[in-house]
Amino acid sequence: KLKACDGCKSVRYCSDECQRDHMPQHERECEKRAGELRDEILFQQPERSHLGDCPICFLPLSLDPKKSTMMECCSKIICVGCHDANSIREREQKIEHKCPFCRHPRAKSEEEADRNMKKRVEANDPVALREVGKRRYNGGDHKSAFEYSSKAAELGDVAAHYNLSVMYHKGGGVEKDEKKKVYHLEVAAIGGHDFARYYLGAIEHENGNHERAVKHFIIAAKLGDDDSLDALKGGFKVGLVSKEDFAAALRAHQAAVDATKSPQRAV
């Protein structure tokens, strides 16, 4: 059974010793092909943003954080339409306030909400781990924030990867590391994180890699990101973005925004 090269996947070896012997001749070609494979994954258009759909109405969640809320009892992110509709129903029927998804009684105090969150953390819920990590970071406990965010990222939370990129950029809770910053940005972008994608585009633009920057901005704009659409508009004005690409991105951006709208969310 031959073992494929870990980097390029295009060469196979009969043993680790055989791979080590061949590496001096193969290293440059391997790095080139590995980069090409990485780009194929990196520049694929995600089907939706990392936020996904509201678990109640199944419509895509808005990129605007003010238009959704996270429930501490189950770590589900509920759109403002479903959250408000549930609250109105409870007031009209004069019944107990419960989570619109799991029907757990709503916390009556901040301490109770923290206890609910702690239970989700103990259950290794990646969203809860990421949220606690964010709170610890904002509170100045950067070391603990890095630990929570790292665990959430290991469990597949896309936003946690973005948070780690910020920590590696600023040096909060961990030493600054540009390579690891970009790595976590790329993982987040592949997972549909719009701002991570925009950030990668900004980095490429600053480095003079305008073609790669435009690719990032187009992908993020098609997810509904306004900053990336503005960047494409500026690029179009100076000739870095074609008329066809800008028009396609504009249509897809509007479609992504419209997909998050509903009568309930407009109330």
Side-chain angles (χ1 to χ4, degrees):
K1 186 176 180 180
L2 299 179
K3 175 186 176 184
C5 174
D6 294 331
C8 66
K9 310 296 183 183
S10 59
V11 179
R12 296 182 178 275
Y13 299 100
C14 59
S15 66
D16 291 339
E17 183 180 359
C18 178
Q19 184 175 5
R20 285 193 297 269
D21 291 342
H22 185 240
M23 187 51 64
Q25 302 105 290
H26 176 60
E27 188 171 9
R28 183 175 297 180
E29 178 187 347
C30 179
E31 290 179 357
K32 180 182 177 181
R33 181 55 184 156
E36 292 172 350
L37 290 173
R38 181 67 174 174
D39 279 357
E40 288 177 11
I41 298 171
L42 180 61
F43 288 112
Q44 286 182 359
Q45 179 70 44
E47 292 184 5
R48 63 190 67 196
S49 81
H50 69 291
L51 296 172
D53 300 335
C54 171
I56 296 178
C57 66
F58 300 109
L59 292 177
L61 290 167
S62 171
L63 298 180
D64 185 350
K66 296 179 182 178
K67 295 184 178 179
S68 61
T69 183
M70 194 197 84
M71 312 306 297
E72 294 90 353
C73 47
C74 57
S75 297
K76 296 296 183 183
I77 301 177
I78 310 296
C79 76
V80 67
C82 291
H83 184 274
D84 289 351
N86 183 64
S87 297
I88 292 171
R89 179 184 63 84
E90 290 172 337
R91 285 198 300 270
E92 290 177 347
Q93 298 180 11
K94 298 180 180 180
I95 56 178
E96 183 183 11
H97 295 301
K98 294 183 178 181
C99 169
F101 180 78
C102 70
R103 297 304 179 186
H104 188 281
R106 297 293 302 275
K108 296 180 176 59
S109 65
E110 188 174 339
E111 291 76 14
E112 185 178 354
D114 288 340
R115 288 196 297 271
N116 290 338
M117 180 72 74
K118 185 178 180 181
K119 290 179 181 178
R120 299 308 307 157
V121 168
E122 291 172 349
N124 281 331
D125 186 313
V127 176
L129 287 164
R130 180 241 300 163
E131 184 64 24
V132 171
K134 184 170 70 174
R135 293 180 183 181
R136 294 289 178 90
Y137 187 85
N138 293 336
D141 186 359
H142 294 170
K143 183 177 180 180
S144 178
F146 180 76
E147 293 173 356
Y148 278 103
S149 299
S150 296
K151 190 169 184 179
E154 290 173 2
L155 292 171
D157 188 80
V158 172
H161 280 285
Y162 174 76
N163 294 343
L164 287 173
S165 75
V166 173
M167 294 181 196
Y168 278 116
H169 174 67
K170 296 183 176 180
V174 66
E175 291 185 9
K176 292 183 179 181
D177 191 314
E178 284 298 303
K179 287 186 177 180
K180 289 183 179 180
K181 179 192 81 171
V182 172
Y183 166 77
H184 287 290
L185 277 176
E186 289 183 348
V187 174
I190 291 169
H193 197 291
D194 59 298
F195 194 75
R197 180 71 68 174
Y198 169 78
Y199 195 178
L200 285 173
I203 292 173
E204 295 289 7
H205 181 74
E206 290 176 3
N207 292 336
N209 301 322
H210 300 304
E211 185 177 347
R212 292 176 64 87
V214 168
K215 287 182 179 181
H216 284 303
F217 292 143
I218 287 175
I219 292 173
K222 288 182 176 180
L223 291 173
D225 183 67
D226 293 335
D227 292 330
S228 295
L229 187 65
D230 289 340
L232 289 173
K233 187 184 299 182
F236 173 65
K237 290 179 179 179
V238 297
L240 294 176
V241 181
S242 70
K243 181 180 179 179
E244 293 76 14
D245 285 343
F246 181 60
L250 187 61
R251 289 193 298 269
H253 174 274
Q254 189 60 52
V257 173
D258 290 344
T260 67
K261 296 179 180 179
S262 70
Q264 291 79 10
R265 294 182 183 186
V267 175

